[in-house]
Amino acid sequence: AQSVTQPDIHITVSEGASLELRCNYSYGATPYLFWYVQSPGQGLQLLLKYFSGDTLVQGIKGFEAEFKRSQSSFNLRKPSVHWSDAAEYFCAVGSGGYNKLIFGAGTRLAVHP
Amino acid sequence: DAGVIQSPRHEVTEMGQEVTLRCKPISGHNSLFWYRQTMMRGLELLIYFNNNVPIDDSGMPEDRFSAKMPNASFSTLKIQPSEPRDSAVYFCASSLGLAGTHEQFFGPGTRLTVL
């Protein structure tokens, strides 16, 4: 069955430090992969998505993600974190004939000044 | 565009009462989703409509939950009777295409508290 694993429940980084959030997926066919962000008290917002082409995808707010088929991973990165990046981040994979979107459990990011 | 609109934003009710949550998707979007988010269970898809037709309702917890989409611009999620374990944030989202391929735009959510 299709699944998404985000191994880190909570991550704390200092402002200005680099960030990498991990995501591993299980899907037999070519996956559609997404990263969403949820700020406190708000709905989810798309950061970026990947289906084909360049395996390094650029998104909004300075985020990028790299698709690695051999590792079944789609990790999210940002070179320098800002305090406003504190939020919960969800990785998701499109499955079920692309009629279903499966979310990971989320990673909550805290940013220290 | 105003984005996905949900009402009410907050709802407090007593166990056994009927609760109706409302959603207006983004104009032109043909897919609509209802999600529930709790600390314990995370984000769960309850039901997914495409062109006003329910495609996947496997996430609806039990018969107490029902959802309708009478037209392309309105959907409701009803809980009758409500129970304390239904307390959660309920999100509505809409998209231009299939659930697994297109960006979903989320509303601000309805925070439901059942006493």
PDB file of all heavy atoms in Angstrom, chain A residues 2 9 16 32 34 40 48 51 57-58 64-65 73 78 84 90 93 102:
ATOM      1  N   GLN A   2       0.327   2.283  -0.613  1.00  0.00           N
ATOM      2  CA  GLN A   2       1.077   3.534  -0.649  1.00  0.00           C
ATOM      3  C   GLN A   2       1.174   4.148   0.745  1.00  0.00           C
ATOM      4  O   GLN A   2       0.227   4.071   1.531  1.00  0.00           O
ATOM      5  CB  GLN A   2       0.402   4.528  -1.597  1.00  0.00           C
ATOM      6  CG  GLN A   2       0.382   4.075  -3.027  1.00  0.00           C
ATOM      7  CD  GLN A   2      -0.793   3.164  -3.336  1.00  0.00           C
ATOM      8  OE1 GLN A   2      -1.641   2.959  -2.485  1.00  0.00           O
ATOM      9  NE2 GLN A   2      -0.825   2.627  -4.535  1.00  0.00           N
ATOM     10  N   ILE A   9       9.322  14.024  14.070  1.00  0.00           N
ATOM     11  CA  ILE A   9       8.075  14.643  14.512  1.00  0.00           C
ATOM     12  C   ILE A   9       8.306  16.114  14.822  1.00  0.00           C
ATOM     13  O   ILE A   9       7.486  16.971  14.489  1.00  0.00           O
ATOM     14  CB  ILE A   9       7.533  13.915  15.752  1.00  0.00           C
ATOM     15  CG1 ILE A   9       7.228  12.458  15.402  1.00  0.00           C
ATOM     16  CG2 ILE A   9       6.292  14.611  16.288  1.00  0.00           C
ATOM     17  CD1 ILE A   9       6.815  11.627  16.592  1.00  0.00           C
ATOM     18  N   GLY A  16      18.663  31.307  10.693  1.00  0.00           N
ATOM     19  CA  GLY A  16      19.850  31.433   9.860  1.00  0.00           C
ATOM     20  C   GLY A  16      20.516  30.113   9.529  1.00  0.00           C
ATOM     21  O   GLY A  16      21.329  30.037   8.603  1.00  0.00           O
ATOM     22  N   TYR A  32       3.457  11.430  -7.846  1.00  0.00           N
ATOM     23  CA  TYR A  32       3.371  12.865  -7.678  1.00  0.00           C
ATOM     24  C   TYR A  32       3.712  13.132  -6.210  1.00  0.00           C
ATOM     25  O   TYR A  32       3.130  12.520  -5.321  1.00  0.00           O
ATOM     26  CB  TYR A  32       1.950  13.378  -7.942  1.00  0.00           C
ATOM     27  CG  TYR A  32       1.621  13.631  -9.386  1.00  0.00           C
ATOM     28  CD1 TYR A  32       1.222  12.597 -10.225  1.00  0.00           C
ATOM     29  CD2 TYR A  32       1.677  14.922  -9.916  1.00  0.00           C
ATOM     30  CE1 TYR A  32       0.901  12.837 -11.559  1.00  0.00           C
ATOM     31  CE2 TYR A  32       1.358  15.168 -11.245  1.00  0.00           C
ATOM     32  CZ  TYR A  32       0.975  14.126 -12.059  1.00  0.00           C
ATOM     33  OH  TYR A  32       0.661  14.352 -13.368  1.00  0.00           O
ATOM     34  N   PHE A  34       4.466  16.046  -3.058  1.00  0.00           N
ATOM     35  CA  PHE A  34       4.120  17.402  -2.627  1.00  0.00           C
ATOM     36  C   PHE A  34       4.721  17.676  -1.254  1.00  0.00           C
ATOM     37  O   PHE A  34       4.871  16.771  -0.431  1.00  0.00           O
ATOM     38  CB  PHE A  34       2.599  17.570  -2.496  1.00  0.00           C
ATOM     39  CG  PHE A  34       1.802  17.249  -3.726  1.00  0.00           C
ATOM     40  CD1 PHE A  34       1.514  15.936  -4.059  1.00  0.00           C
ATOM     41  CD2 PHE A  34       1.319  18.267  -4.528  1.00  0.00           C
ATOM     42  CE1 PHE A  34       0.761  15.634  -5.190  1.00  0.00           C
ATOM     43  CE2 PHE A  34       0.560  17.970  -5.663  1.00  0.00           C
ATOM     44  CZ  PHE A  34       0.282  16.664  -5.987  1.00  0.00           C
ATOM     45  N   PRO A  40       0.430  28.092  12.221  1.00  0.00           N
ATOM     46  CA  PRO A  40      -0.516  27.929  13.326  1.00  0.00           C
ATOM     47  C   PRO A  40      -1.867  28.572  13.041  1.00  0.00           C
ATOM     48  O   PRO A  40      -1.944  29.730  12.625  1.00  0.00           O
ATOM     49  CB  PRO A  40       0.208  28.624  14.490  1.00  0.00           C
ATOM     50  CG  PRO A  40       1.650  28.492  14.152  1.00  0.00           C
ATOM     51  CD  PRO A  40       1.736  28.603  12.664  1.00  0.00           C
ATOM     52  N   LEU A  48       5.677  23.180  -2.831  1.00  0.00           N
ATOM     53  CA  LEU A  48       6.214  22.729  -4.113  1.00  0.00           C
ATOM     54  C   LEU A  48       5.675  21.348  -4.423  1.00  0.00           C
ATOM     55  O   LEU A  48       5.136  20.674  -3.551  1.00  0.00           O
ATOM     56  CB  LEU A  48       7.740  22.711  -4.104  1.00  0.00           C
ATOM     57  CG  LEU A  48       8.440  22.051  -2.919  1.00  0.00           C
ATOM     58  CD1 LEU A  48       8.497  20.550  -3.023  1.00  0.00           C
ATOM     59  CD2 LEU A  48       9.855  22.614  -2.744  1.00  0.00           C
ATOM     60  N   PHE A  51       6.626  15.893 -10.317  1.00  0.00           N
ATOM     61  CA  PHE A  51       6.148  14.704 -11.021  1.00  0.00           C
ATOM     62  C   PHE A  51       7.204  14.154 -11.961  1.00  0.00           C
ATOM     63  O   PHE A  51       7.452  12.954 -12.014  1.00  0.00           O
ATOM     64  CB  PHE A  51       4.870  14.985 -11.805  1.00  0.00           C
ATOM     65  CG  PHE A  51       4.432  13.803 -12.619  1.00  0.00           C
ATOM     66  CD1 PHE A  51       4.121  12.596 -12.012  1.00  0.00           C
ATOM     67  CD2 PHE A  51       4.347  13.866 -14.007  1.00  0.00           C
ATOM     68  CE1 PHE A  51       3.735  11.479 -12.755  1.00  0.00           C
ATOM     69  CE2 PHE A  51       3.954  12.768 -14.753  1.00  0.00           C
ATOM     70  CZ  PHE A  51       3.647  11.574 -14.127  1.00  0.00           C
ATOM     71  N   VAL A  57      13.535  20.545  -7.223  1.00  0.00           N
ATOM     72  CA  VAL A  57      12.360  21.385  -7.463  1.00  0.00           C
ATOM     73  C   VAL A  57      12.420  22.610  -6.564  1.00  0.00           C
ATOM     74  O   VAL A  57      12.680  22.490  -5.363  1.00  0.00           O
ATOM     75  CB  VAL A  57      11.068  20.597  -7.150  1.00  0.00           C
ATOM     76  CG1 VAL A  57       9.851  21.444  -7.447  1.00  0.00           C
ATOM     77  CG2 VAL A  57      11.025  19.301  -7.944  1.00  0.00           C
ATOM     78  N   GLN A  58      12.176  23.754  -7.159  1.00  0.00           N
ATOM     79  CA  GLN A  58      12.138  24.990  -6.385  1.00  0.00           C
ATOM     80  C   GLN A  58      10.704  25.325  -6.013  1.00  0.00           C
ATOM     81  O   GLN A  58       9.770  25.105  -6.797  1.00  0.00           O
ATOM     82  CB  GLN A  58      12.730  26.137  -7.204  1.00  0.00           C
ATOM     83  CG  GLN A  58      14.163  25.908  -7.659  1.00  0.00           C
ATOM     84  CD  GLN A  58      15.125  25.758  -6.491  1.00  0.00           C
ATOM     85  OE1 GLN A  58      15.034  26.475  -5.506  1.00  0.00           O
ATOM     86  NE2 GLN A  58      16.054  24.801  -6.610  1.00  0.00           N
ATOM     87  N   GLU A  64      13.305  24.261  -1.391  1.00  0.00           N
ATOM     88  CA  GLU A  64      13.538  23.352  -2.498  1.00  0.00           C
ATOM     89  C   GLU A  64      13.447  21.919  -1.996  1.00  0.00           C
ATOM     90  O   GLU A  64      13.535  21.667  -0.793  1.00  0.00           O
ATOM     91  CB  GLU A  64      14.908  23.586  -3.147  1.00  0.00           C
ATOM     92  CG  GLU A  64      16.080  23.255  -2.254  1.00  0.00           C
ATOM     93  CD  GLU A  64      17.432  23.463  -2.943  1.00  0.00           C
ATOM     94  OE1 GLU A  64      17.516  24.293  -3.870  1.00  0.00           O
ATOM     95  OE2 GLU A  64      18.389  22.790  -2.531  1.00  0.00           O
ATOM     96  N   ALA A  65      13.230  21.001  -2.913  1.00  0.00           N
ATOM     97  CA  ALA A  65      13.179  19.583  -2.550  1.00  0.00           C
ATOM     98  C   ALA A  65      13.836  18.779  -3.653  1.00  0.00           C
ATOM     99  O   ALA A  65      13.785  19.154  -4.832  1.00  0.00           O
ATOM    100  CB  ALA A  65      11.742  19.124  -2.337  1.00  0.00           C
ATOM    101  N   SER A  73      12.950   8.964  -1.669  1.00  0.00           N
ATOM    102  CA  SER A  73      12.915  10.118  -0.767  1.00  0.00           C
ATOM    103  C   SER A  73      12.590  11.394  -1.526  1.00  0.00           C
ATOM    104  O   SER A  73      12.801  11.499  -2.741  1.00  0.00           O
ATOM    105  CB  SER A  73      14.252  10.270  -0.041  1.00  0.00           C
ATOM    106  OG  SER A  73      15.270  10.676  -0.936  1.00  0.00           O
ATOM    107  N   LYS A  78      16.073  24.118   3.020  1.00  0.00           N
ATOM    108  CA  LYS A  78      16.144  25.572   2.931  1.00  0.00           C
ATOM    109  C   LYS A  78      17.505  25.976   3.468  1.00  0.00           C
ATOM    110  O   LYS A  78      17.906  25.528   4.548  1.00  0.00           O
ATOM    111  CB  LYS A  78      15.026  26.243   3.727  1.00  0.00           C
ATOM    112  CG  LYS A  78      14.984  27.764   3.514  1.00  0.00           C
ATOM    113  CD  LYS A  78      13.736  28.389   4.100  1.00  0.00           C
ATOM    114  CE  LYS A  78      13.689  29.882   3.758  1.00  0.00           C
ATOM    115  NZ  LYS A  78      12.457  30.549   4.246  1.00  0.00           N
ATOM    116  N   SER A  84       9.891  33.105  10.684  1.00  0.00           N
ATOM    117  CA  SER A  84       8.541  32.924  10.146  1.00  0.00           C
ATOM    118  C   SER A  84       8.336  31.543   9.526  1.00  0.00           C
ATOM    119  O   SER A  84       7.206  31.197   9.150  1.00  0.00           O
ATOM    120  CB  SER A  84       8.240  33.999   9.106  1.00  0.00           C
ATOM    121  OG  SER A  84       9.163  33.920   8.035  1.00  0.00           O
ATOM    122  N   PHE A  90       4.141  19.077   5.862  1.00  0.00           N
ATOM    123  CA  PHE A  90       3.579  17.795   5.477  1.00  0.00           C
ATOM    124  C   PHE A  90       4.085  17.401   4.087  1.00  0.00           C
ATOM    125  O   PHE A  90       3.970  18.174   3.136  1.00  0.00           O
ATOM    126  CB  PHE A  90       2.052  17.856   5.440  1.00  0.00           C
ATOM    127  CG  PHE A  90       1.401  18.062   6.771  1.00  0.00           C
ATOM    128  CD1 PHE A  90       1.153  19.341   7.250  1.00  0.00           C
ATOM    129  CD2 PHE A  90       1.043  16.976   7.559  1.00  0.00           C
ATOM    130  CE1 PHE A  90       0.549  19.537   8.484  1.00  0.00           C
ATOM    131  CE2 PHE A  90       0.437  17.158   8.791  1.00  0.00           C
ATOM    132  CZ  PHE A  90       0.194  18.440   9.258  1.00  0.00           C
ATOM    133  N   VAL A  93       1.976  12.155  -1.102  1.00  0.00           N
ATOM    134  CA  VAL A  93       2.148  11.461  -2.384  1.00  0.00           C
ATOM    135  C   VAL A  93       0.795  11.194  -3.012  1.00  0.00           C
ATOM    136  O   VAL A  93      -0.154  10.795  -2.319  1.00  0.00           O
ATOM    137  CB  VAL A  93       2.950  10.146  -2.199  1.00  0.00           C
ATOM    138  CG1 VAL A  93       2.214   9.179  -1.277  1.00  0.00           C
ATOM    139  CG2 VAL A  93       3.205   9.471  -3.527  1.00  0.00           C
ATOM    140  N   ILE A 102      -2.031  11.058  -0.195  1.00  0.00           N
ATOM    141  CA  ILE A 102      -1.717  10.516   1.124  1.00  0.00           C
ATOM    142  C   ILE A 102      -0.708  11.431   1.798  1.00  0.00           C
ATOM    143  O   ILE A 102       0.384  11.665   1.258  1.00  0.00           O
ATOM    144  CB  ILE A 102      -1.152   9.095   1.007  1.00  0.00           C
ATOM    145  CG1 ILE A 102      -2.223   8.159   0.423  1.00  0.00           C
ATOM    146  CG2 ILE A 102      -0.700   8.586   2.367  1.00  0.00           C
ATOM    147  CD1 ILE A 102      -1.745   6.762   0.177  1.00  0.00           C
TER     148      ILE A 102
END
